[in-house]
Amino acid sequence: MAQERPLPSVVERMWGREPVTRRGPRPRLDLATITDAAIEIADAEGLTGVSMAAVASRVGVAATALYRYVDSKEDLLTAMTDGIVPPPPEPEGTPWRDYLALWTRIQRDLLLEHAWLLSVVRLVPPLGPQRLLWFDRALTALEGTGLGPGEKVNVVTSLTGYALTDATLTYGLGVGDPQMESASISGAADYGEMLTGLIDPETYPSLSAVLHEGAMHGAEGWVEDADFVFGLDLLLDGVEALIGRRAR
Amino acid sequence: MAQERPLPSVVERMWGREPVTRRGPRPRLDLATITDAAIEIADAEGLTGVSMAAVASRVGVAATALYRYVDSKEDLLTAMTDGIVPPPPEPEGTPWRDYLALWTRIQRDLLLEHAWLLSVVRLVPPLGPQRLLWFDRALTALEGTGLGPGEKVNVVTSLTGYALTDATLTYGLGVGDPQMESASISGAADYGEMLTGLIDPETYPSLSAVLHEGAMHGAEGWVEDADFVFGLDLLLDGVEALIGRRAR
DNA sequence: ACCTGAACACCGTTCAAGT
DNA sequence: ACCTGAACACCGTTCAAGT
């Protein structure tokens, strides 16, 4: 048994453990209020709108007062990644494959609805109660498959990564970055067109071939729902094969 | 045939097309020089060290002079993602599965060696000559598998995403963010220990179980090389199954 | 045409001072 | 103990002025 180490204070607060204080004026805020305000700003204006000053003024407080609740802006961003996550669907009775497909899709959609998440979530492992609830339910869905604990964790991890990858790609080829506009690229067709104009067929033979076969400007675009399902099935087929091996 | 649209000027410059200029003093710099300087700073100090002023002073110029070569800092970051990439291995003669496994691994390692890439690469689709060369060679490796062009693109995309996912996870549980130190979390064992102290077994039954079975503090840690291979094989098994179906 | 230097409108974070 | 307000050391980017 290892010795308990003090937890980062954001983590404490994400779990609702505000420090118990007895004397002095009562706190006017708590972490959740601040986090919610920051999320609203991010949804409306993107991550660039989320300054300490903007968040503070939205909750009616001086910018520097936030540092009573958060050690740094980075901590605030961490708290936001948990605050945005809704409860996961419950897996009971659903076959593992159906559940995990749904689980992955909802995560992907959440990332697309709140594109600022893509920039933040990547760098922070799940630490808060909401994201860990998702983690838990995916593991639940894999019970009875015969996979070992490490294997389950690996499978879930791969699916989270897939949601992130797909959302990033869809977003990256889509409307473009917050304000950069990605200089007139919007959509896979534009992207393919751009590449066609840049690459020469001798140095990039296979890419040229694929572009000419129209892989990136079909009627449906490049990364659409069909592509999400395609990649997801690739992964789930792998999982299914593994489960088959373990069940033997 | 769609009409040509003007390319973003960073993209032009990434492809070596500096504007041809005839009068006035000769330019003292080019994009590659600036990009290389920025990369050296990022490698040494992380992305936080990369300010326009710092990059400019490293190439011996006033901060504002950089705007002759780059429209914005964001454009500089975009150029960095291509500048850091080495040439890909050549696939000729290698079986597709071996090649793609190597291809994915090198990308993963590159991301871990230059962790700042994780924050940038996500949001920018491949636009430069180096990253597109990688794309091309992966497509080449899939020639003769019977996959369609769209399928090939999807496979390659999934593998890129996997490299990103694995690197992010390894990094996120590792040393921690640039300077944030992630407050004393370093390594999967610490992470597992932290979770054990936070979650209660009734709300998080499967996660508790997995933690007690030691899935996250084995001798090898959580996300190590074995885990990289595990997830990769999951994907490649899926690809192999698909190829089998197409070949029939 | 290229580069400089001053200037602008911001940042995140500290710290002493009020209550 | 909580919050404010001034202050600090930065940012990215603009623009007129030099050559």
Side-chain angles (χ1 to χ4, degrees), chain A residues 2-3 5 7-8 15 74 122 126 129 132-133 136-137 140 143 153-154 157 161 165 168-169 177 180 183-184 190-191 193-195 203-207 222 227 230 234 237-238 242 245, chain B residues 2-3 5 7-8 15 74 122 126 129 132-133 136-137 140 143 153-154 157 161 165 168-169 177 180 183-184 190-191 193-195 203-207 222 227 230 234 237-238 242 245:
Chain A
Q3 197 59 22
R5 255 180 297 180
L7 293 172
W15 289 82
E74 192 156 350
R122 285 259 133 221
L132 288 172
L133 209 53
D136 183 80
R137 296 309 186 263
T140 302
E143 247 150 55
V153 169
N154 268 315
T157 290
T165 298
T168 304
L169 206 58
D177 309 8
M180 157 181 176
S184 81
D190 287 359
Y191 180 66
E193 194 189 313
M194 182 181 203
L195 294 189
T203 322
Y204 304 85
S206 304
L207 186 54
W222 183 15
D227 296 299
F230 178 95
L234 232 49
D237 286 349
L242 178 71
R245 268 176 269 143
Chain B
Q3 198 59 23
R5 255 181 299 181
L7 292 173
W15 289 82
E74 191 156 349
R122 283 260 135 220
L132 287 173
L133 209 53
D136 183 80
R137 295 310 185 262
T140 302
E143 246 149 56
V153 169
N154 269 314
T157 291
T165 299
T168 304
L169 207 57
D177 308 7
M180 159 182 173
S184 80
D190 287 0
Y191 180 65
E193 193 189 312
M194 184 181 202
L195 294 190
T203 322
Y204 304 86
S206 304
L207 185 54
W222 181 16
D227 296 300
F230 178 95
L234 231 51
D237 286 348
L242 178 71
R245 268 176 270 143

XYZ file of all heavy atoms in Angstrom, chain A residues 2-3 5 7-8 15 74 122 126 129 132-133 136-137 140 143 153-154 157 161 165 168-169 177 180 183-184 190-191 193-195 203-207 222 227 230 234 237-238 242 245, chain B residues 2-3 5 7-8 15 74 122 126 129 132-133 136-137 140 143 153-154 157 161 165 168-169 177 180 183-184 190-191 193-195 203-207 222 227 230 234 237-238 242 245:
742
model
N 0.690 2.048 -0.969
C 1.514 3.262 -1.059
C 0.941 4.346 -0.146
O -0.247 4.342 0.188
C 1.562 3.770 -2.483
N 1.776 5.251 0.217
C 1.350 6.340 1.088
C 0.468 7.319 0.305
O 0.691 7.578 -0.873
C 2.596 7.056 1.617
C 2.335 7.925 2.834
C 1.776 7.127 4.016
O 1.972 5.907 4.071
N 1.066 7.780 4.917
N -0.752 10.641 -1.174
C -0.109 11.906 -1.474
C -1.186 12.964 -1.596
O -2.325 12.650 -1.956
C 0.695 11.796 -2.781
C 2.192 11.707 -2.497
C 2.954 11.611 -3.775
N 2.612 10.388 -4.498
C 3.173 10.089 -5.672
N 4.033 10.905 -6.215
N 2.856 8.959 -6.272
N -3.625 15.434 -3.107
C -4.143 15.574 -4.468
C -4.036 17.022 -4.904
O -4.104 17.935 -4.077
C -5.602 15.124 -4.504
C -5.825 13.640 -4.258
C -7.305 13.346 -4.110
C -5.233 12.822 -5.401
N -3.890 17.228 -6.219
C -3.939 18.606 -6.734
C -5.268 19.225 -6.319
O -6.297 18.545 -6.330
C -3.896 18.409 -8.254
C -3.332 17.055 -8.473
C -3.660 16.239 -7.266
N -14.209 17.042 -7.336
C -14.981 16.022 -6.635
C -15.823 16.623 -5.520
O -16.272 15.924 -4.602
C -14.052 14.927 -6.109
C -13.508 14.096 -7.238
C -12.448 14.395 -8.037
C -14.025 12.851 -7.706
N -12.264 13.415 -8.977
C -13.220 12.441 -8.798
C -15.088 12.020 -7.321
C -13.439 11.264 -9.506
C -15.303 10.841 -8.024
C -14.493 10.473 -9.098
N -4.779 26.915 -16.373
C -4.699 25.524 -16.801
C -5.607 24.625 -15.963
O -6.273 23.736 -16.491
C -3.242 25.060 -16.698
C -3.020 23.747 -17.382
C -1.562 23.553 -17.795
O -0.780 24.529 -17.717
O -1.227 22.426 -18.180
N -7.295 16.379 -24.962
C -6.121 15.612 -25.354
C -5.074 15.491 -24.261
O -4.475 14.473 -24.046
C -5.436 16.316 -26.528
C -6.130 16.160 -27.820
C -5.445 15.108 -28.659
N -6.410 14.200 -29.202
C -6.211 12.896 -29.271
N -5.102 12.358 -28.833
N -7.116 12.110 -29.777
N -8.527 11.515 -17.815
C -9.752 11.705 -17.032
C -9.457 11.705 -15.535
O -8.872 10.776 -15.002
C -10.623 10.505 -17.427
C -9.742 9.554 -18.145
C -8.577 10.322 -18.650
N -15.214 13.275 -11.876
C -16.270 12.270 -11.691
C -17.029 11.919 -12.962
O -17.425 10.762 -13.139
C -17.204 12.919 -10.661
C -16.856 14.360 -10.629
C -15.428 14.471 -11.057
N -14.793 9.853 -15.531
C -14.530 8.518 -14.994
C -15.769 7.648 -15.001
O -15.681 6.417 -15.098
C -13.922 8.615 -13.592
C -12.471 9.109 -13.608
C -11.968 9.375 -12.198
C -11.549 8.113 -14.318
N -16.938 8.284 -14.945
C -18.178 7.515 -15.054
C -18.285 6.873 -16.445
O -18.685 5.715 -16.587
C -19.367 8.442 -14.801
C -20.642 7.856 -14.202
C -20.346 7.105 -12.932
C -21.650 8.982 -13.922
N -16.002 3.962 -16.524
C -16.564 2.837 -15.785
C -17.592 2.068 -16.604
O -17.569 0.837 -16.676
C -17.209 3.340 -14.491
C -17.741 2.195 -13.651
O -16.925 1.561 -12.958
O -18.958 1.918 -13.722
N -18.485 2.795 -17.255
C -19.562 2.103 -17.968
C -19.057 1.320 -19.183
O -19.600 0.274 -19.530
C -20.639 3.095 -18.389
C -21.354 3.750 -17.222
C -21.870 2.739 -16.206
N -22.676 3.381 -15.176
C -22.227 3.749 -13.967
N -20.977 3.481 -13.617
N -23.038 4.327 -13.096
N -17.849 -1.828 -17.797
C -19.001 -2.662 -17.464
C -19.497 -3.428 -18.689
O -19.807 -4.615 -18.617
C -20.152 -1.786 -16.912
O -19.688 -1.079 -15.760
C -21.355 -2.633 -16.545
N -17.800 -6.617 -19.403
C -17.835 -7.726 -18.457
C -18.445 -8.955 -19.129
O -19.341 -8.843 -19.940
C -18.651 -7.344 -17.210
C -17.779 -7.254 -15.966
C -18.308 -6.254 -14.966
O -19.473 -6.352 -14.564
O -17.531 -5.336 -14.616
N -9.118 -2.210 -20.355
C -8.656 -0.825 -20.308
C -8.111 -0.401 -21.671
O -8.403 0.691 -22.161
C -7.584 -0.636 -19.211
C -6.902 0.721 -19.334
C -8.200 -0.800 -17.835
N -7.343 -1.279 -22.274
C -6.781 -0.964 -23.580
C -7.851 -0.767 -24.647
O -7.737 0.117 -25.495
C -5.831 -2.086 -24.017
C -4.401 -1.805 -23.591
O -3.908 -0.699 -23.754
N -3.751 -2.806 -23.045
N -9.637 2.574 -24.009
C -8.700 3.627 -24.381
C -8.638 3.833 -25.899
O -8.645 4.960 -26.393
C -7.304 3.246 -23.861
O -7.316 3.353 -22.444
C -6.252 4.148 -24.422
N -9.766 7.193 -28.004
C -8.865 7.779 -28.979
C -9.504 7.883 -30.343
O -9.331 8.881 -31.045
N -9.951 11.178 -32.616
C -9.366 11.237 -33.953
C -10.395 11.628 -34.991
O -10.181 12.518 -35.811
C -8.783 9.866 -34.326
O -7.748 9.554 -33.391
C -8.216 9.885 -35.724
N -11.570 15.221 -34.599
C -10.539 16.159 -35.015
C -10.479 16.282 -36.518
O -10.381 17.370 -37.080
C -9.168 15.701 -34.506
O -9.228 15.545 -33.107
C -8.104 16.723 -34.851
N -10.549 15.146 -37.166
C -10.456 15.150 -38.609
C -11.668 15.824 -39.231
O -11.552 16.680 -40.111
C -10.328 13.712 -39.108
C -9.629 13.605 -40.440
C -8.236 14.216 -40.358
C -9.545 12.154 -40.853
N -10.599 26.432 -38.186
C -10.295 26.790 -36.810
C -11.115 27.992 -36.370
O -11.652 28.713 -37.209
C -8.820 27.127 -36.678
C -7.954 26.031 -37.269
O -8.530 25.115 -37.900
O -6.762 26.089 -37.125
N -9.280 31.412 -37.616
C -8.313 31.398 -38.718
C -8.974 31.190 -40.073
O -8.396 31.506 -41.107
C -7.276 30.303 -38.483
C -6.561 29.798 -39.730
S -5.385 28.484 -39.341
C -4.814 28.008 -40.975
N -8.253 29.683 -44.107
C -8.033 30.284 -45.422
C -8.789 29.582 -46.543
O -8.208 28.999 -47.448
C -6.552 30.311 -45.749
N -10.074 29.578 -46.432
C -10.946 29.152 -47.508
C -11.073 27.645 -47.713
O -11.784 27.212 -48.608
C -10.518 29.795 -48.834
O -9.437 29.100 -49.403
N -12.778 20.574 -50.908
C -11.820 21.670 -51.037
C -10.419 21.201 -50.711
O -9.445 21.602 -51.360
C -12.179 22.808 -50.069
C -13.398 23.570 -50.539
O -13.927 23.213 -51.608
O -13.814 24.500 -49.847
N -10.340 20.392 -49.682
C -9.036 19.890 -49.271
C -8.403 19.075 -50.398
O -7.255 19.293 -50.782
C -9.192 19.047 -48.003
C -7.908 18.457 -47.478
C -6.893 19.265 -46.988
C -7.720 17.071 -47.461
C -5.713 18.725 -46.492
C -6.550 16.518 -46.962
C -5.550 17.352 -46.484
O -4.389 16.803 -46.004
N -9.051 19.176 -53.517
C -8.749 20.073 -54.638
C -7.429 20.799 -54.415
O -6.587 20.920 -55.323
C -9.889 21.082 -54.741
C -9.926 21.882 -56.012
C -10.958 22.991 -55.901
O -12.103 22.711 -55.460
O -10.612 24.137 -56.241
N -7.256 21.250 -53.198
C -6.038 21.959 -52.836
C -4.819 21.052 -53.024
O -3.811 21.450 -53.614
C -6.154 22.390 -51.381
C -4.983 23.176 -50.852
S -5.340 23.545 -49.123
C -4.281 24.966 -48.901
N -4.930 19.835 -52.533
C -3.805 18.908 -52.653
C -3.473 18.651 -54.118
O -2.301 18.618 -54.514
C -4.125 17.582 -51.957
C -4.280 17.636 -50.442
C -4.363 16.225 -49.878
C -3.160 18.417 -49.783
N 6.520 12.464 -57.210
C 6.938 12.390 -55.810
C 5.849 11.787 -54.927
O 6.137 11.150 -53.919
C 7.292 13.790 -55.282
O 7.949 14.529 -56.317
C 8.196 13.703 -54.078
N 4.609 11.995 -55.328
C 3.473 11.521 -54.542
C 2.580 10.635 -55.403
O 1.417 10.966 -55.629
C 2.671 12.708 -53.999
C 3.477 13.696 -53.184
C 4.192 14.729 -53.792
C 3.532 13.593 -51.801
C 4.928 15.633 -53.032
C 4.268 14.494 -51.034
C 4.967 15.512 -51.664
O 5.702 16.385 -50.921
N 3.096 9.516 -55.857
C 2.329 8.724 -56.834
C 1.020 8.172 -56.283
O -0.020 8.277 -56.950
C 3.299 7.587 -57.198
C 4.297 7.535 -56.086
C 4.407 8.924 -55.558
N 1.043 7.612 -55.108
C -0.167 6.974 -54.598
C -1.211 7.994 -54.182
O -2.409 7.791 -54.383
C 0.176 6.075 -53.404
O 1.156 5.134 -53.765
N -0.746 9.071 -53.626
C -1.675 10.137 -53.247
C -2.345 10.741 -54.486
O -3.557 10.967 -54.508
C -0.928 11.211 -52.443
C -1.748 12.344 -51.834
C -2.881 11.817 -50.972
C -0.846 13.269 -51.012
N -15.229 13.473 -47.585
C -14.253 12.495 -47.145
C -14.626 11.887 -45.792
O -14.901 10.698 -45.678
C -12.886 13.171 -47.077
C -11.778 12.252 -46.699
C -11.800 10.877 -46.698
C -10.479 12.615 -46.266
N -10.597 10.393 -46.301
C -9.773 11.427 -46.018
C -9.843 13.831 -46.052
C -8.448 11.442 -45.579
C -8.537 13.823 -45.622
C -7.854 12.634 -45.386
N -17.653 7.203 -42.851
C -16.249 7.011 -42.506
C -16.064 6.771 -41.014
O -15.185 6.014 -40.607
C -15.433 8.216 -42.960
C -15.448 8.353 -44.469
O -14.982 7.424 -45.138
O -15.951 9.365 -44.963
N -16.953 3.240 -40.549
C -15.911 2.399 -41.145
C -14.756 2.169 -40.174
O -14.383 1.036 -39.872
C -15.389 3.077 -42.412
C -14.285 2.318 -43.092
C -14.565 1.444 -44.137
C -12.961 2.479 -42.693
C -13.540 0.747 -44.767
C -11.933 1.770 -43.311
C -12.227 0.911 -44.351
N -13.602 -1.189 -37.932
C -12.245 -1.721 -37.985
C -11.789 -2.098 -36.580
O -11.271 -3.195 -36.324
C -11.315 -0.632 -38.539
C -10.404 -0.940 -39.715
C -11.157 -1.594 -40.844
C -9.742 0.347 -40.212
N -14.075 -4.849 -34.908
C -13.754 -6.170 -35.465
C -12.531 -6.748 -34.776
O -12.469 -7.950 -34.476
C -13.492 -6.072 -36.970
C -14.781 -5.879 -37.770
O -15.882 -6.034 -37.190
O -14.693 -5.574 -38.979
N -11.555 -5.891 -34.550
C -10.363 -6.332 -33.833
C -10.697 -6.809 -32.431
O -10.221 -7.858 -31.979
N -10.394 -10.607 -30.749
C -9.686 -10.839 -29.485
C -10.567 -11.598 -28.501
O -10.149 -12.564 -27.867
C -9.263 -9.500 -28.885
C -8.565 -9.592 -27.536
C -7.174 -10.189 -27.687
C -8.504 -8.232 -26.858
N -10.772 -15.166 -29.307
C -9.581 -15.899 -28.880
C -9.619 -16.184 -27.381
O -9.284 -17.268 -26.930
C -8.328 -15.082 -29.210
C -7.726 -15.389 -30.577
C -6.544 -14.479 -30.862
N -6.968 -13.262 -31.553
C -6.455 -12.064 -31.354
N -5.489 -11.878 -30.447
N -6.897 -11.032 -32.038
N -13.021 22.393 -60.953
C -13.280 23.594 -60.152
C -12.238 24.659 -60.450
O -11.130 24.359 -60.880
C -13.263 23.262 -58.667
N -12.632 25.879 -60.218
C -11.724 26.991 -60.442
C -10.638 27.026 -59.367
O -10.859 26.693 -58.216
C -12.539 28.303 -60.418
C -11.838 29.485 -61.046
C -11.477 29.235 -62.513
O -12.088 28.399 -63.168
N -10.463 29.931 -62.996
N -8.420 28.369 -56.555
C -8.553 29.428 -55.556
C -7.169 29.754 -55.024
O -6.286 28.908 -55.009
C -9.465 28.977 -54.426
C -10.823 29.641 -54.539
C -11.718 29.221 -53.427
N -11.937 27.766 -53.480
C -12.728 27.152 -52.592
N -13.295 27.836 -51.631
N -12.920 25.862 -52.680
N -4.159 29.977 -52.715
C -3.793 29.181 -51.548
C -3.392 30.111 -50.401
O -2.893 31.210 -50.628
C -2.619 28.269 -51.896
C -2.930 27.156 -52.891
C -1.648 26.438 -53.294
C -3.903 26.175 -52.288
N -3.609 29.648 -49.156
C -3.106 30.418 -48.026
C -1.604 30.613 -48.191
O -0.899 29.701 -48.636
C -3.383 29.512 -46.819
C -4.426 28.559 -47.281
C -4.283 28.423 -48.758
N 5.706 25.053 -49.434
C 6.104 24.337 -50.642
C 7.226 25.060 -51.373
O 7.466 24.821 -52.559
C 4.899 24.122 -51.550
C 3.959 23.104 -50.980
C 3.005 23.315 -50.030
C 3.915 21.706 -51.283
N 2.358 22.134 -49.720
C 2.898 21.129 -50.481
C 4.626 20.862 -52.156
C 2.586 19.769 -50.515
C 4.303 19.515 -52.204
C 3.296 18.986 -51.384
N -0.272 31.570 -35.647
C -0.917 30.307 -35.985
C -0.311 29.707 -37.254
O -0.087 28.502 -37.348
C -2.416 30.543 -36.152
C -3.192 29.259 -36.231
C -4.645 29.446 -35.806
O -4.988 30.516 -35.258
O -5.421 28.501 -36.035
N -2.887 18.081 -34.057
C -4.296 17.720 -34.003
C -5.177 18.591 -34.871
O -6.085 18.124 -35.522
C -4.774 17.914 -32.564
C -4.363 16.836 -31.627
C -5.509 15.874 -31.418
N -5.036 14.527 -31.506
C -5.702 13.550 -32.105
N -6.839 13.789 -32.675
N -5.218 12.336 -32.146
N -2.774 17.539 -42.772
C -1.495 17.616 -43.484
C -1.590 18.505 -44.718
O -2.413 18.287 -45.588
C -1.187 16.168 -43.859
C -2.428 15.399 -43.634
C -3.276 16.167 -42.696
N 4.705 19.421 -47.632
C 5.314 18.357 -48.430
C 5.755 17.146 -47.615
O 5.663 16.020 -48.106
C 6.530 19.046 -49.069
C 6.765 20.292 -48.295
C 5.450 20.690 -47.717
N 2.625 15.074 -46.236
C 1.937 14.426 -47.358
C 2.757 13.282 -47.943
O 2.209 12.331 -48.484
C 1.573 15.465 -48.423
C 0.420 16.377 -48.004
C 0.207 17.500 -49.012
C -0.886 15.592 -47.820
N 4.067 13.375 -47.792
C 4.906 12.261 -48.214
C 4.624 11.013 -47.373
O 4.540 9.900 -47.895
C 6.381 12.657 -48.079
C 7.397 12.019 -49.029
C 6.989 12.171 -50.481
C 8.783 12.627 -48.799
N 1.411 9.579 -48.566
C 1.592 8.867 -49.830
C 2.157 7.464 -49.632
O 1.659 6.503 -50.210
C 2.526 9.678 -50.743
C 2.685 9.018 -52.104
O 1.774 9.188 -52.938
O 3.696 8.309 -52.310
N 3.190 7.357 -48.815
C 3.844 6.058 -48.668
C 2.960 5.020 -47.987
O 3.025 3.830 -48.299
C 5.155 6.212 -47.907
C 6.199 7.048 -48.642
C 6.407 6.589 -50.085
N 7.498 7.323 -50.717
C 7.352 8.369 -51.516
N 6.137 8.819 -51.811
N 8.413 8.974 -52.027
N 0.800 3.772 -50.647
C 1.583 2.862 -51.492
C 1.618 1.454 -50.900
O 1.461 0.456 -51.611
C 3.031 3.376 -51.645
O 3.009 4.688 -52.208
C 3.850 2.448 -52.530
N -1.214 -0.723 -51.750
C -1.495 -1.110 -53.128
C -1.466 -2.639 -53.256
O -0.695 -3.322 -52.608
C -0.450 -0.500 -54.074
C -1.066 0.522 -55.007
C -0.100 1.621 -55.380
O 0.980 1.293 -55.896
O -0.425 2.800 -55.123
N -7.660 5.436 -47.743
C -7.551 6.704 -47.010
C -8.044 6.542 -45.572
O -7.418 7.007 -44.620
C -8.349 7.814 -47.729
C -8.476 9.051 -46.853
C -7.679 8.164 -49.049
N -9.155 5.831 -45.441
C -9.693 5.618 -44.094
C -8.751 4.818 -43.202
O -8.600 5.101 -42.016
C -11.035 4.888 -44.182
C -12.187 5.861 -44.249
O -12.242 6.821 -43.485
N -13.103 5.631 -45.168
N -5.796 7.055 -42.216
C -6.299 8.019 -41.245
C -6.445 7.424 -39.850
O -6.064 8.032 -38.846
C -7.676 8.522 -41.734
O -7.465 9.320 -42.894
C -8.366 9.322 -40.671
N -4.371 8.512 -36.458
C -5.088 8.803 -35.223
C -4.618 7.933 -34.083
O -4.473 8.399 -32.951
N -3.211 9.123 -30.513
C -3.869 8.708 -29.276
C -2.891 8.085 -28.308
O -2.839 8.421 -27.122
C -4.972 7.674 -29.600
O -5.924 8.294 -30.441
C -5.628 7.195 -28.327
N -0.446 10.628 -26.915
C -1.087 11.522 -25.960
C -1.253 10.858 -24.610
O -0.996 11.447 -23.561
C -2.472 11.938 -26.471
O -2.323 12.516 -27.746
C -3.095 12.955 -25.534
N -1.675 9.619 -24.646
C -1.924 8.911 -23.395
C -0.617 8.665 -22.660
O -0.493 8.906 -21.468
C -2.626 7.594 -23.700
C -3.483 7.085 -22.566
C -4.518 8.133 -22.194
C -4.137 5.788 -22.950
N 2.493 17.802 -18.077
C 2.511 18.889 -19.039
C 3.783 19.717 -18.880
O 4.441 19.649 -17.856
C 1.295 19.781 -18.814
C 0.019 18.971 -18.790
O 0.112 17.717 -18.820
O -1.039 19.548 -18.737
N 3.236 22.436 -15.903
C 2.215 22.212 -14.874
C 2.592 21.110 -13.899
O 2.071 21.032 -12.803
C 0.879 21.866 -15.552
C -0.116 21.124 -14.658
S -1.614 20.721 -15.547
C -2.508 19.704 -14.364
N 0.908 18.155 -11.091
C 0.784 18.016 -9.642
C 1.105 16.619 -9.133
O 0.260 15.937 -8.566
C -0.620 18.429 -9.207
N 2.288 16.210 -9.386
C 2.821 14.997 -8.767
C 2.353 13.675 -9.385
O 2.741 12.633 -8.922
C 2.548 14.995 -7.259
O 1.209 14.586 -7.007
N 0.948 5.907 -10.412
C 0.462 7.048 -9.644
C -0.971 7.384 -10.014
O -1.785 7.707 -9.146
C 1.333 8.289 -9.923
C 2.682 8.167 -9.265
O 2.931 7.138 -8.609
O 3.498 9.086 -9.427
N -1.242 7.304 -11.299
C -2.586 7.621 -11.758
C -3.593 6.648 -11.143
O -4.619 7.066 -10.587
C -2.630 7.562 -13.283
C -3.958 7.867 -13.902
C -4.526 9.130 -13.798
C -4.659 6.881 -14.599
C -5.748 9.415 -14.380
C -5.876 7.150 -15.185
C -6.421 8.419 -15.078
O -7.630 8.688 -15.651
N -3.287 4.891 -8.509
C -3.359 5.114 -7.064
C -4.279 6.291 -6.743
O -5.097 6.242 -5.826
C -1.940 5.411 -6.577
C -1.755 5.376 -5.081
C -0.373 5.905 -4.733
O 0.614 5.462 -5.368
O -0.296 6.762 -3.848
N -4.119 7.328 -7.543
C -4.943 8.513 -7.348
C -6.429 8.182 -7.516
O -7.258 8.560 -6.687
C -4.527 9.544 -8.385
C -5.227 10.871 -8.262
S -4.599 11.911 -9.604
C -4.978 13.513 -8.940
N -6.738 7.455 -8.584
C -8.130 7.091 -8.824
C -8.687 6.263 -7.674
O -9.816 6.480 -7.226
C -8.250 6.304 -10.136
C -7.917 7.054 -11.418
C -8.321 6.219 -12.619
C -8.595 8.422 -11.459
N -20.545 3.656 -7.117
C -20.815 4.476 -8.296
C -19.942 4.045 -9.471
O -20.338 4.168 -10.630
C -20.558 5.964 -7.984
O -21.000 6.251 -6.660
C -21.274 6.855 -8.961
N -18.763 3.555 -9.171
C -17.808 3.166 -10.206
C -17.405 1.697 -10.023
O -16.236 1.404 -9.787
C -16.561 4.053 -10.122
C -16.845 5.530 -10.223
C -17.178 6.280 -9.097
C -16.776 6.185 -11.458
C -17.433 7.646 -9.190
C -17.036 7.550 -11.557
C -17.363 8.271 -10.420
O -17.620 9.616 -10.515
N -18.366 0.792 -10.151
C -18.062 -0.612 -9.809
C -16.998 -1.242 -10.703
O -16.066 -1.876 -10.201
C -19.422 -1.313 -9.972
C -20.226 -0.419 -10.852
C -19.757 0.981 -10.572
N -17.108 -1.061 -12.007
C -16.176 -1.745 -12.908
C -14.790 -1.138 -12.840
O -13.780 -1.845 -12.897
C -16.696 -1.682 -14.344
O -17.995 -2.232 -14.412
N -14.735 0.153 -12.696
C -13.442 0.809 -12.581
C -12.737 0.397 -11.296
O -11.532 0.103 -11.297
C -13.641 2.330 -12.631
C -12.401 3.214 -12.650
C -11.453 2.820 -13.771
C -12.796 4.688 -12.791
N 0.854 1.261 -17.181
C -0.372 1.090 -17.933
C -0.101 1.170 -19.438
O -0.296 0.204 -20.186
C -1.358 2.163 -17.509
C -2.674 2.077 -18.197
C -3.180 1.012 -18.896
C -3.667 3.085 -18.246
N -4.422 1.304 -19.368
C -4.753 2.572 -18.986
C -3.766 4.375 -17.736
C -5.902 3.306 -19.221
C -4.921 5.083 -17.984
C -5.985 4.550 -18.705
N 1.265 -2.091 -24.683
C -0.059 -1.530 -24.918
C -0.162 -0.867 -26.285
O -1.204 -0.907 -26.928
C -0.404 -0.526 -23.816
C -0.508 -1.206 -22.468
O -1.354 -2.098 -22.335
O 0.284 -0.871 -21.579
N -0.616 -3.697 -28.600
C -1.957 -4.257 -28.423
C -2.998 -3.496 -29.242
O -3.729 -4.074 -30.050
C -2.322 -4.197 -26.936
C -3.699 -4.711 -26.628
C -3.893 -6.018 -26.224
C -4.809 -3.878 -26.743
C -5.168 -6.490 -25.944
C -6.090 -4.341 -26.473
C -6.265 -5.644 -26.067
N -5.071 -4.501 -32.757
C -6.521 -4.433 -32.827
C -6.951 -3.824 -34.162
O -7.795 -4.344 -34.877
C -7.018 -3.524 -31.686
C -8.116 -4.017 -30.762
C -7.777 -5.388 -30.215
C -8.310 -3.030 -29.613
N -5.699 -5.962 -37.253
C -6.550 -7.136 -37.428
C -7.826 -6.760 -38.174
O -8.285 -7.494 -39.058
C -6.918 -7.738 -36.064
C -5.745 -8.486 -35.431
O -4.737 -8.728 -36.124
O -5.842 -8.822 -34.234
N -8.367 -5.621 -37.811
C -9.546 -5.136 -38.505
C -9.270 -4.908 -39.981
O -10.051 -5.290 -40.850
N -10.780 -6.862 -43.350
C -11.369 -6.126 -44.471
C -10.728 -6.527 -45.796
O -11.416 -6.776 -46.797
C -11.202 -4.624 -44.250
C -11.732 -3.733 -45.372
C -13.258 -3.766 -45.392
C -11.221 -2.308 -45.250
N -11.996 -9.781 -46.969
C -13.325 -9.690 -47.591
C -13.232 -9.148 -49.029
O -13.898 -9.632 -49.925
C -14.209 -8.758 -46.757
C -15.034 -9.476 -45.697
C -15.809 -8.483 -44.843
N -15.029 -8.060 -43.672
C -15.035 -6.827 -43.172
N -15.740 -5.866 -43.754
N -14.313 -6.535 -42.102
